[in-house]
Amino acid sequence: MLFSENWLRTWIDPQVDTQALAHRLTMAGLEVDAIEPAAPAFDNVVVAEVRTVRPHPDADKLRVTEVFDGETTWPVVCGAPNVRVGLRAALARVGATLPDGMKIKKAKLRGEPSHGMLCGADELGLSSSRDGLLELPDDAPVGKDLREWLDLDDAVIELGITPNRGDVLSIAGLAQECSALFDARLTAPDTQAPATSIDATQPAAIEAADACPVYLTQVIEDIPARGETDVLIAERLRRAGVSTVEPIVDLLNYVMLETGQPMHAFDAEKLDGDIRVRWATAGEKMIGLNEQELTLEEDCLVVADAANPIALAGIIGSQPSGVSGETRRIVLESAHFTPEAVAGRARRFGLTTDAAFRFERGVDPSLPRRAIDRAAQLITERLGGQAGPVLEASGGHELPSPAPITLDMDWAERRLGLPVATDRAADLLTRLGCEVRVDGDVLTVVPPSRRFDLAIPEDLLEELARLIGYDEFRAPIARMTPEIGLPAATDNTTTRIGDLMADRGYFEAITYSFVDPELDAVITPDSPPIALANPIASQMAVMRQSLWPGLLEAVAHNQKRQQPAIRLFETGHRFAGSTAEAARETGELAFVAAGLAAPEQWAQATRPVDFYDIKGDLEDLLEGLGLSDKLTFRAGRHPALHPGQAAEVLVDGETVGEFGALHPDTLKAFDLKGPVFAARLSLAGIGQRSLPQSATLSKFPRIRRDLALVTPTTLAFSDLARAIETAGGEFLREVEPFDRYVGEGVAEGRQSLAVKLVFQNDERTLTDDEITDTINHILEHLRQHDVELRG
């Protein structure tokens, strides 16, 4: 939010300079982001009056004028199209310096002397909706220094307002805040509703009372033709970052900046019948003031006449009913729209308006009457016109009123860590506009209607801390004995996991916990995600149920930038459960691989990464984590993975994750070029390992026997190895496959597996008879699994 310091000081003038004011606001939670001068530096520019105008004898586009600066009449050559006799404008005298560094000197333009320069707004670093000279009001004091008269030695202060502080989005709100901070009295401008001089009214009815408890209208007729907005009003708008549009619109914007109440004006001649505040019907259309066609939905609150919507309530008016320079009869609107009725609708249509910004945060429900009186006063005084009576429509609902809050000061002192006397707390809260009743050390506080953010005792604690000033709080210095904690030797920390992944050539990624619901459904189609109540973007609308979506989007990003090999991993949290109340947050390691298995080189042919590359990475990781002796794999299925190229990872027989090649539909959903492989492991499942145990190396020989076994193709090698180990006895040390054959000589549905068996006894040399007996026992046991020795 931008505001003019000098405008604020017309309401309240704390006896501090700009820097001290900014510091106090920041320490009160209204962070000052920037302080800029209201206008660039220039000097010796005064208000002047054009006395005569004649054509330049040697230039069609120039005029020769005589300009009175309050002391002397000077000849000035001017090319502006709006120069005319009687005009009051800005004159840069001889010797003046303009913002661009130009120094004004005596000159001759096409033979005519020119002692000074009549200036346009842009030449002085100001704003104007009209080309040509900066036109000043007819009562502007001739000879007055322009900087002094326009109050240009001012500071524009930018505040970073948090969403809960909609009450300070106005000069009145800031003045109330400063009154509390500096214990100073504020003086609001005198607001007097214009006398009713006509009987014309605009009836209105409220059909959505829960969203709009009060709606005021007032007709103003016979508004004269008008030109540009008064320069003093325009300057205050400019310093607040609001462009001038048209005098009536500008005055309503001025009232909004002054009071905090957004308002709107309709061209009365373009309305069809009475006004109704109602919910839109699905598919109803409206052309906004920005000429954008809006297709409304049933949860959109609209202001409508008998034929069409004339405004999206609290957000934007309609173009057909808007006022223009030709409008002579208007209907003023001043209403209270609840935050729930406005929030989110502007973003839905890609709109950003000052009205929506305020109504979404909450506007004081007591403001509409004060604001409409102020607007009617300014319009009739500055533009002219005849005002009718104010009509108030009510839907039968009372305006929301704040509930009282009980604050125990003993409890408050413990929570704040700073003693605050009960009387001082009551005084501070009273300055904010609260009604405070003291009963011993307990305060009963009724917040003002503008403070939507005060509802519980903790809110009052925050107010006390702000008003005292956060810089007044000091952390107590206590003696402490530092304790350095070390992870247990059996802990597999995320740091260790990250180091092992980096050793395998993976880069760590950090992705958002919010993901696109469509992409989340690709990975976890059978589990509804937790939806965010107010997502920052449609593609970040749900909590992730897997780390894969973020990593796969990163892979797609890298593939589009011609990265030949991509290896990414992430450790983070995933969120299961369809509601926040039922959410389960668990830690996970996920990694992905795509592109070349190894850099291009002369020693081996280039090839893409495959299933066994990522399986090898898993095995190396779990070996580094001390879990290789507990690791097994088995065929698995996952909706995002390719059937037949997916496997489960088991530690001690418990499933801790899965890995495999992405399904073609998954590749398409993420716009990936395959093949791409992904793996995930539960951090809890791999979080602990057994400590390594030393063992004496055997002095006796190892004995190897190879078996050619015919097995069903459906039998996983892990199951075969487990059966062999069960029957192999205590001296069987290794079971490894080294060949597989399917084809002629082997029945359909079966395969030939060559398996290496290694035996060893630590105390003596095993005999051939012992080995033969053990192998026969293994073969006998394998027949139970439909496995036989190949003949």
Side-chain angles (χ1 to χ4, degrees):
M1 174 193 172
L2 301 174
F3 72 93
S4 158
E5 179 188 357
N6 286 353
W7 190 7
L8 175 65
R9 288 184 185 274
T10 63
W11 282 66
I12 185 169
D13 191 11
Q15 300 304 302
V16 294
D17 62 15
T18 303
Q19 293 299 326
L21 173 64
H23 176 76
R24 190 68 185 89
L25 289 173
T26 298
M27 289 299 102
L30 304 179
E31 185 175 359
V32 173
D33 291 335
I35 303 174
E36 301 289 343
F42 61 83
D43 59 29
N44 205 8
V45 179
V46 299
V47 177
E49 181 181 3
V50 178
R51 292 286 177 85
T52 65
V53 179
R54 61 182 175 84
H56 192 291
D58 295 324
D60 293 340
K61 295 184 178 181
L62 297 180
R63 301 288 183 271
V64 179
T65 69
E66 290 184 344
V67 180
F68 179 61
D69 68 356
E71 298 176 356
T72 307
T73 300
W74 301 99
V76 177
V77 176
C78 177
N82 61 331
V83 65
R84 62 185 181 275
V85 174
L87 174 67
R88 299 201 175 179
L91 172 67
R93 291 167 162 164
V94 172
T97 302
L98 298 185
D100 61 1
M102 177 190 295
K103 290 189 178 294
I104 304 301
K105 301 177 182 178
K106 293 181 182 179
K108 280 193 175 185
L109 298 178
R110 297 286 185 92
E112 292 289 335
S114 184
H115 292 195
M117 174 180 170
L118 289 171
C119 300
D122 55 343
E123 291 164 328
L124 298 174
L126 309 179
S127 65
S128 174
S129 59
R130 175 179 295 176
D131 293 333
L133 301 179
L134 174 64
E135 296 195 15
L136 305 179
D138 292 342
D139 60 354
V142 175
K144 187 77 171 179
D145 183 271
L146 189 73
R147 291 194 73 89
E148 181 182 347
W149 183 67
L150 287 182
D151 201 17
L152 296 179
D153 292 321
D154 185 12
V156 175
I157 300 177
E158 181 178 359
L159 295 181
I161 303 296
T162 53
N164 65 321
R165 293 304 308 274
D167 62 294
V168 291
L169 293 172
S170 66
I171 294 296
L174 281 173
Q176 182 68 56
E177 189 78 1
C178 289
S179 175
L181 292 174
F182 295 98
D183 193 15
R185 181 181 178 184
L186 65 85
T187 304
D190 184 27
T191 299
Q192 292 185 346
T196 300
S197 54
I198 57 173
D199 296 330
T201 59
Q202 175 61 58
I206 298 174
E207 299 176 6
D210 54 336
C212 176
V214 63
Y215 189 89
L216 305 180
T217 59
Q218 184 176 21
V219 174
I220 301 179
E221 294 182 344
D222 302 327
I223 302 174
R226 51 204 173 274
E228 198 169 356
T229 298
D230 182 291
V231 67
L232 298 174
I233 296 290
E235 265 301 295
R236 285 184 170 176
L237 293 176
R238 178 184 70 84
R239 296 174 208 182
V242 177
S243 300
T244 54
V245 179
E246 190 277 337
I248 292 176
V249 175
D250 295 340
L251 287 175
L252 296 186
N253 283 335
Y254 183 88
V255 171
M256 176 189 69
L257 294 173
E258 182 180 81
T259 66
Q261 172 69 43
M263 294 184 64
H264 188 64
F266 303 105
D267 187 327
E269 303 300 334
K270 298 176 181 178
L271 299 183
D272 184 356
D274 293 350
I275 287 176
R276 293 181 299 151
V277 182
R278 60 173 175 81
W279 296 106
T281 57
E284 197 168 15
K285 296 185 182 298
M286 187 189 91
I287 304 297
L289 285 170
N290 60 352
E291 299 185 355
Q292 175 185 349
E293 183 178 71
L294 308 177
T295 301
L296 307 177
E297 299 175 24
E298 292 178 344
D299 64 344
C300 293
L301 186 68
V302 297
V303 179
D305 61 13
N308 299 296
I310 55 176
L312 184 56
I315 299 174
I316 193 170
S318 74
Q319 193 271 337
S321 64
V323 300
S324 66
E326 289 72 41
T327 302
R328 300 291 176 264
R329 186 170 178 264
I330 64 171
V331 175
L332 291 180
E333 165 199 277
S334 186
H336 179 70
F337 302 115
T338 63
E340 297 79 11
V342 179
R345 277 64 164 188
R347 283 197 305 277
R348 183 184 306 172
F349 296 110
L351 297 172
T352 302
T353 67
D354 290 320
F357 188 78
R358 285 162 172 79
F359 278 122
E360 285 179 337
R361 286 156 175 77
V363 175
D364 185 351
S366 69
L367 277 179
R369 182 63 194 228
R370 277 182 280 162
I372 202 168
D373 287 345
R374 178 64 168 156
Q377 175 190 14
L378 290 175
I379 290 172
T380 54
E381 285 180 357
R382 293 177 177 269
L383 303 180
Q386 305 296 315
V390 175
L391 293 189
E392 178 175 339
S394 173
H397 285 210
E398 293 186 3
L399 289 173
S401 57
I405 306 169
T406 300
L407 180 63
D408 184 326
M409 291 308 299
D410 289 336
W411 172 85
E413 180 177 332
R414 293 194 302 272
R415 297 298 295 270
L416 283 173
L418 184 75
V420 181
T422 302
D423 290 344
R424 185 185 184 197
D427 177 57
L428 291 173
L429 294 173
T430 301
R431 289 189 217 165
L432 281 177
C434 300
E435 296 179 10
V436 182
R437 182 166 55 84
V438 181
D439 184 6
D441 288 334
V442 177
L443 305 181
T444 301
V445 181
V446 179
S449 57
R450 69 177 184 278
R451 294 300 300 271
F452 286 74
D453 59 319
L454 302 184
I456 58 177
E458 285 78 2
D459 295 331
L460 298 181
L461 286 186
E462 181 183 357
E463 294 306 295
L464 291 175
R466 288 191 322 101
L467 295 175
I468 293 169
Y470 293 130
D471 49 348
E472 293 295 321
F473 288 80
R474 296 291 183 268
I477 300 176
R479 182 180 296 278
M480 62 174 290
T481 302
E483 296 181 2
I484 301 175
L486 294 174
T490 56
D491 287 353
N492 285 325
T493 64
T494 54
T495 300
R496 178 172 176 78
I497 292 170
D499 290 342
L500 291 170
M501 293 303 299
D503 290 343
R504 295 295 302 166
Y506 285 78
F507 289 88
E508 185 171 13
I510 300 175
T511 65
Y512 285 106
S513 297
F514 314 137
V515 297
D516 189 323
E518 294 183 2
L519 297 181
D520 179 82
V522 172
I523 304 299
T524 53
D526 300 326
S527 176
I530 301 171
L532 299 180
N534 190 21
I536 60 177
S538 61
Q539 68 271 24
M540 301 175 73
V542 299
M543 302 295 291
R544 67 185 178 191
Q545 300 186 84
S546 168
L547 272 62
W548 281 354
L551 288 175
L552 295 180
E553 287 189 288
V555 172
H557 181 85
N558 280 274
Q559 284 185 340
K560 291 171 183 176
R561 285 151 182 82
Q562 294 82 45
Q563 293 301 311
I566 303 166
R567 305 285 189 279
L568 299 173
F569 81 93
E570 181 175 10
T571 54
H573 290 89
R574 66 188 187 98
F575 306 85
S578 58
T579 64
E581 293 74 17
R584 300 184 307 279
E585 183 176 349
T586 55
E588 180 174 284
L589 162 69
F591 56 97
V592 292
L596 299 179
E600 187 173 357
Q601 55 173 297
W602 61 270
Q604 65 181 32
T606 58
R607 65 174 180 83
V609 66
D610 61 23
F611 179 88
Y612 296 100
D613 290 317
I614 198 166
K615 180 175 181 286
D617 291 336
L618 267 169
E619 290 173 325
D620 284 350
L621 169 67
L622 293 175
E623 181 179 2
L625 295 176
L627 300 172
S628 58
D629 59 330
K630 302 177 181 180
L631 172 65
T632 54
F633 300 99
R634 71 181 175 202
R637 295 187 65 86
H638 189 283
L641 300 179
H642 200 298
Q645 296 190 55
E648 293 182 5
V649 183
L650 295 90
V651 172
D652 260 350
E654 297 292 330
T655 300
V656 298
E658 59 257 333
F659 72 99
L662 292 188
H663 192 284
D665 290 344
T666 307
L667 295 174
K668 183 178 179 181
F670 285 89
D671 195 17
L672 294 167
K673 299 175 184 176
V676 177
F677 296 86
R680 60 159 295 274
L681 294 170
S682 163
L683 291 179
I686 61 173
Q688 297 292 320
R689 59 176 174 163
S690 300
L691 289 177
Q693 302 292 325
S694 62
T696 304
L697 293 176
S698 176
K699 295 181 291 184
F700 299 95
R702 293 159 55 93
I703 300 173
R704 171 173 170 165
R705 292 290 186 270
D706 295 340
L707 299 179
L709 302 174
V710 179
T711 75
T713 56
T714 56
L715 179 65
F717 178 77
S718 58
D719 295 332
L720 175 66
R722 196 158 35 248
I724 293 173
E725 289 167 351
T726 300
E730 61 177 317
F731 304 134
L732 179 62
R733 296 288 187 261
E734 294 181 20
V735 180
E736 296 291 343
F738 63 89
D739 191 27
R740 177 178 181 269
Y741 172 75
V742 176
E744 185 177 351
V746 178
E748 185 177 353
R750 297 181 72 79
Q751 61 185 350
S752 174
L753 283 180
V755 181
K756 175 184 74 172
L757 306 181
V758 176
F759 300 89
Q760 188 177 34
N761 187 331
D762 294 337
E763 297 178 353
R764 62 180 177 84
T765 301
L766 294 171
T767 66
D768 285 344
D769 290 342
E770 288 177 311
I771 299 300
T772 300
D773 289 345
T774 301
I775 289 177
N776 288 336
H777 182 67
I778 291 172
L779 293 174
E780 182 67 28
H781 181 71
L782 290 178
R783 290 191 183 96
Q784 301 175 22
H785 298 275
D786 195 18
V787 177
E788 59 187 18
L789 191 66
R790 184 176 179 186

